[in-house]
DNA sequence: ACCCAAACCTGCGATTTCGCAGATATTTTT
DNA sequence: AAAAATATCTGCGAAATCGCAGGTTTGGGT
């Protein structure tokens, strides 16, 4: 992400002093005051948003190199929250420094713009899929979405996922019962295995085939 | 949008020669080759994406000042299509010119980045709502989303919408029958009126109240 | 003014989803 | 290691959604 800026790398390289948040920790909460933006140096993070009735939805997963919270700049409060899914090192950059970095590093700004435009495309694909798919397809989509965010090498065909049924449900907008049902069915078909709470996607390519009639669904 | 660039305004002001697309016309189609990006100078546009089974989904509405198709830069083909909803004047900018404009006008790039980050936030709110809402709420959300894109003044409390039931259904991921049913019910409650095919939202604020328990649902 | 095609409305049965509830399994605490 | 708390799985009836079918209205052309 920041291989685009120059002397600014130094300024930003307070990075090395960035705190490590343990798993399950809030980086910032919905409703808190906006002071700046965050870069993920290491780890996995979920971006969440709540409805008044207490339900919580996971709007996005993020990983190393991703930027968080910048959308809120110009607003008073964050309209989303961010929670670590694994131990994560996160670098905070205040508004003014970030603004100055943008103005003096066009390439950096350009890359951030491209990041957001790609994330927008991904979000739109997700919206479309969640709007058109049935439960089983949504769960598979969710698993693949998580896998994409966890996989080091996109060519790998297996990955282990360590999220609760509830957390998976919040990603695709359903409840834990539905997720359980689909997981049982997928297990019967040999597409996944479960060891204790962990879910092993045995054959990612085959899972993608199941929902392949939704063009671009697997384009994360 | 472009009050951010400088001498480039001239270069880009071939704008004045930009073609006017009649209502219902494709600006670019899913699968066609990527040559550059488009700015909407005047009019309303829908961004669509299809599944293999022929269903079509409207992923985004756009209006004056919005940018289209830039996400695709770096890819070979567009993964989305764009269709005019009203007669619209649209300016085309080829990849190279756009790239150069970005590099020489940091403020311009910055504003485009903010545009995409806001659109991402909007898309995520939409995803959340469509995932959690029932049919009636989705239709209301869709009407308000359309209204937002059509209203000249955000303080107005009334607006007339001229889209078919099918088109509304494609925005919220349902079918025209469901939309009809909900519209009938809203008409009975006096929240909307229909004249011929047009839909008049009589009281936008009251409609927003109906779905207000979804925090931020009306934050477009 | 008439006709035709397309869009719209609405009833109804089939299907899917929902969500509680109880059984089982896993993790944490004592 | 036992007990308590939490998470998961699965059955089942209730509710919502789906999609066809048939009747009605609208828009455009002749």
């Amino acid at each position: 992400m920041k291989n685009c800026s120059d002397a600014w790398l130094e300024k930003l390289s307070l990075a090395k002093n960035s705190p490590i948040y343990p798993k399950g920790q809030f980086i910032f909460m919905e409703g808190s005051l906006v002071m700046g933006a965050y870069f993920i140096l290491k780890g996995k993070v979920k971006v969440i948003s709540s409805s008044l009735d207490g339900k919580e939805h996971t709007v996005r997963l993020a990983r190393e190199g991703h930027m968080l919270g910048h959308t809120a700049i110009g607003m008073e409060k964050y309209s989303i929250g961010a929670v670590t899914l694994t131990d994560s090192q996160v670098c905070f950059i205040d508004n003014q420094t970030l603004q100055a970095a943008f103005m003096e590093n066009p390439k950096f700004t350009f890359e951030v713009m491209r990041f957001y435009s790609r994330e927008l495309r991904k979000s739109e694909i997700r919206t479309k899929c969640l709007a058109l798919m049935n439960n089983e397809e949504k769960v598979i989509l969710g698993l693949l979405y998580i896998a994409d965010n966890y996989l080091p090498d996109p060519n790998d065909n297996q990955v282990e996922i360590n999220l609760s049924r509830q957390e998976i449900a919040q990603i695709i907008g359903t409840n834990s019962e539905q997720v359980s049902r689909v997981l049982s069915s997928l297990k019967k078909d040999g597409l996944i295995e479960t060891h204790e709470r962990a879910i092993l996607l045995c054959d990612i390519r085959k899972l993608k085939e199941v929902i392949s009639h939704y063009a671009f669904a697997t384009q994360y």
Side-chain angles (χ1 to χ4, degrees), chain A residues 52-209:
Chain A
L52 282 189
D53 58 355
K55 281 186 189 171
E56 205 166 76
H57 188 73
T58 298
V59 298
R60 186 175 6 138
L61 296 178
R63 59 172 185 275
E64 299 82 9
H66 286 206
M67 189 172 174
L68 296 174
H70 179 258
T71 314
I73 288 182
M75 308 204 208
E76 197 195 349
K77 296 179 176 181
Y78 287 109
S79 61
I80 51 174
V83 178
T84 53
L85 292 172
T86 65
D87 294 354
S88 303
Q89 191 174 24
V90 180
C91 163
F92 174 79
I93 302 178
D94 69 274
N95 282 344
Q96 287 187 334
T97 308
L98 189 62
Q99 190 77 15
F102 280 140
M103 284 310 142
E104 296 185 23
N105 300 279
K107 271 198 173 176
F108 172 61
T109 314
F110 178 71
E111 283 307 320
V112 174
M113 181 203 70
R114 293 212 62 206
F115 166 71
Y116 276 116
S117 94
R118 279 193 306 268
E119 287 295 310
L120 173 61
R121 183 77 202 102
K122 279 164 60 171
S123 171
E124 287 173 348
I125 291 170
R126 236 159 80 74
T127 309
K128 179 178 90 170
C129 287
L130 293 181
L132 299 178
M133 284 177 168
N134 65 25
N135 252 330
E136 186 190 31
E137 294 167 328
K138 283 186 199 175
V139 172
I140 294 176
L141 181 80
L143 293 175
L144 291 172
Y145 179 60
I146 296 164
D148 176 70
N149 203 57
Y150 271 73
L151 262 190
D153 180 348
N155 292 320
D156 285 354
N157 199 31
Q158 290 206 341
V159 69
E160 195 175 86
I161 290 175
N162 247 308
L163 298 180
S164 71
R165 310 294 176 264
Q166 178 69 23
E167 279 176 312
I168 296 172
Q170 284 170 348
I171 291 172
I172 58 177
T174 183
N175 52 37
S176 55
E177 291 99 319
Q178 309 297 326
V179 174
S180 272
R181 276 187 254 271
V182 175
L183 289 182
S184 297
S185 151
L186 290 177
K187 197 155 77 174
K188 209 176 294 172
D189 297 346
L191 288 167
I192 65 170
E193 285 171 27
T194 59
H195 302 107
E196 273 87 69
R197 202 143 289 171
I199 302 166
L200 175 70
L201 307 192
C202 308
D203 193 339
I204 293 179
R205 280 188 279 280
K206 205 173 268 177
L207 282 172
K208 285 185 179 175
E209 275 173 32

Side-chain angles (χ1 to χ4, degrees), chain A residues 2-93:
Chain A
K2 7 194 150 95
N3 43 13
C4 310
S5 65
D6 49 341
W8 281 87
L9 268 180
E10 278 180 54
K11 272 211 180 182
L12 301 176
S13 76
L14 35 95
K16 266 134 201 160
N17 305 327
S18 297
I20 295 180
Y21 293 74
K23 173 178 175 174
Q25 190 84 16
F26 271 97
I27 299 173
F28 55 91
M29 294 179 69
E30 194 171 333
S32 61
L33 294 175
V34 175
M35 312 292 288
Y38 299 83
F39 280 98
I40 305 173
L41 299 174
K42 205 163 179 0
K44 317 289 181 194
V45 172
K46 66 174 174 182
V47 177
I48 62 176
S49 172
S50 62
S51 329
L52 282 189
D53 58 355
K55 281 186 189 171
E56 205 166 76
H57 188 73
T58 298
V59 298
R60 186 175 6 138
L61 296 178
R63 59 172 185 275
E64 299 82 9
H66 286 206
M67 189 172 174
L68 296 174
H70 179 258
T71 314
I73 288 182
M75 308 204 208
E76 197 195 349
K77 296 179 176 181
Y78 287 109
S79 61
I80 51 174
V83 178
T84 53
L85 292 172
T86 65
D87 294 354
S88 303
Q89 191 174 24
V90 180
C91 163
F92 174 79
I93 302 178

